[in-house]
Structures are given as C-alpha cells and as structure tokens.
Amino acid sequence: MINLKILKYAQIADVQKCTTLNEKTIVSDMMLRRRLTRNARIALYLADQIGAEQNAVVIGNGYGEVSETYDILRAIYEKSSLSPTAFQNSVHNTPASYLSIVEQNRGYITTVSDLQDTASSVLKVGAIKSLQYPQLALMVTDSINFDQIAEINHCGIEFLEGGAALLVTRTSEEATITLRGKSYPKYSRTLWPMLEIIEQCESLPAGCGAIISIAV
C-alpha cells in the first residue's frame, strides 16, 4: 500500500461541452489553441486549477480522442479528405502532448487508457511514481460528445464531457478517506473513483488532511 496526501483537487463537467475552461488565458497562442482537442482543453484547465504545470503528470482518458476518431471514420466512409489535424490529434496521448507543449513541462508525463477502469489505473500508476517524484498531478478527462453519440449512449450518461484532477504527494500518515466503489451514473465510469475521492475530500473536517491508501 502507498499512501497519497491530496494537496489540491479540481473537477469540471457539462452535459454537452465545458464552457469555463479559461482557454484564452491558459493558451495565449491562438493557432495552438485552435488545434486543441476537447480532452486537451480539459486537461490544461485542470492542471491550471491544481497548479500542476511543472509537476510529474499522469493523465487518463478511457476512450481516447473520440471526436477526432469519429471525424476520421466519417471522412473515410464519405470518401472525403482526411483532416491532418484530426489525424494528428487522434492518438490517446494527445492531452499529454499539449500539456507538455503549453506548459513547457519537460518532466515525466504519461497517459493511461483503461476504459472504465481508467481512474483506478491512474491512481495506481501515480502511487508507484510517487516513489520517484515529490509531487504528481493525477487527472482523468473524457469527452464523448460527437454527432451520433445518442445512438450508442445506452448507459444513461448525461455529462458527456468532464474531468477530475488531484495534486498528490507520498506520505507515511494514515489514510483518512477510503474508496468504497460509489457510483455516479450520470458521469462516465472512467471518472467515478476520482469523483468519490473529491467528494470525500470536501466532506472532511477542517484541518484534517485528505490521505488515501492505494494498493499497487
């Protein structure tokens, strides 16, 4: 078991598209800003909220860049031209790449993609990497809003876009919060453990540090 102290946390979600991501302030270069995927915009916002710009980072997204992949598949089906930007942005580690570029972060950044278990895997990777780095930013983002999402959204997900992040450090202090597998049916399952951790952080008495044990 590795215990992580949660120094800061942040979350955001919207039924269609998050509109308060502060992109113009975070990414001053207009041309670069226009190329950002939705997942990248959310990741940059979360990193700014928790002050993760120059820390080691573990980013998770359960389904990759769905919108860009959909655009590519639609272009192939319609036999139209493929967008070079969509092709470039279709890989699962796109948010990590943009975070590195925008923040000029030359440190450790990795991406985890594990479908509905993504948040759990991000926490495990983060716990292991806490043995090497004094602080880490752990975040999960998902944007699954594309033209025909209603045809395949059989899980009742209402918030089609969102993310959650933690700034953590390893500690020898005892855990004060415990994951109990709480469900958040309106959100993508990829976010559930992160949402539960943040909910418990917010319910702790003043002055009680938020510490969680992660089995690795």
Side-chain angles (χ1 to χ4, degrees):
M1 302 290 287
I2 296 176
N3 287 8
L4 299 177
K5 176 178 284 188
I6 299 161
L7 306 174
K8 294 182 180 180
Y9 56 84
Q11 68 182 85
I12 192 167
D14 197 280
V15 294
Q16 295 292 329
K17 180 184 290 187
C18 297
T19 58
T20 56
L21 297 177
N22 204 21
E23 295 122 303
K24 290 184 178 180
T25 300
I26 297 172
V27 186
S28 58
D29 186 325
M30 183 181 68
M31 295 303 294
L32 177 59
R33 190 167 65 242
R34 290 179 61 184
R35 297 174 71 89
L36 296 174
T37 64
R38 296 303 304 171
N39 277 317
R41 293 170 193 268
I42 296 168
L44 284 163
Y45 168 81
L46 293 171
D48 181 68
Q49 290 294 296
I50 64 173
E53 295 86 350
Q54 296 302 316
N55 287 288
V57 181
V58 181
I59 300 179
N61 57 74
Y63 307 104
E65 298 295 347
V66 176
S67 180
E68 283 67 28
T69 303
Y70 173 81
D71 289 343
I72 291 171
L73 293 174
R74 182 173 61 183
I76 293 172
Y77 177 77
E78 296 175 351
K79 298 182 180 179
S80 57
S81 299
L82 292 176
S83 164
T85 300
F87 186 78
Q88 171 189 314
N89 285 344
S90 63
V91 294
H92 75 290
N93 63 345
T94 295
S97 300
Y98 281 118
L99 187 63
S100 177
I101 292 168
V102 172
E103 303 298 346
Q104 298 183 9
N105 187 341
R106 295 176 174 83
Y108 174 83
I109 301 180
T110 193
T111 302
V112 176
S113 189
D114 196 12
L115 297 176
Q116 65 184 29
D117 295 321
T118 294
S120 297
S121 295
V122 165
L123 291 168
K124 290 178 182 179
V125 172
I128 293 170
K129 290 300 178 180
S130 72
L131 301 174
Q132 297 175 255
Y133 301 99
Q135 288 188 359
L136 294 102
L138 312 180
M139 61 182 73
V140 179
T141 73
D142 261 316
S143 177
I144 56 174
N145 186 20
F146 58 95
D147 286 350
Q148 294 176 283
I149 181 61
E151 297 180 21
I152 62 173
N153 183 13
H154 305 303
C155 302
I157 297 173
E158 294 184 18
F159 293 94
L160 299 179
E161 190 166 279
L166 309 171
L167 184 67
V168 303
T169 186
R170 185 165 61 92
T171 182
S172 59
E173 298 176 61
E174 293 186 4
T176 57
I177 60 177
T178 304
L179 281 173
R180 298 182 176 87
K182 184 175 179 179
S183 299
Y184 298 82
K186 294 182 179 181
Y187 297 83
S188 169
R189 290 179 64 95
T190 56
L191 293 170
W192 288 6
M194 298 288 278
L195 296 177
E196 185 179 2
I197 289 172
I198 291 174
E199 182 179 1
Q200 291 193 39
C201 286
E202 293 176 338
S203 67
L204 286 173
C208 181
I211 301 166
I212 186 168
S213 291
I214 305 297
V216 297

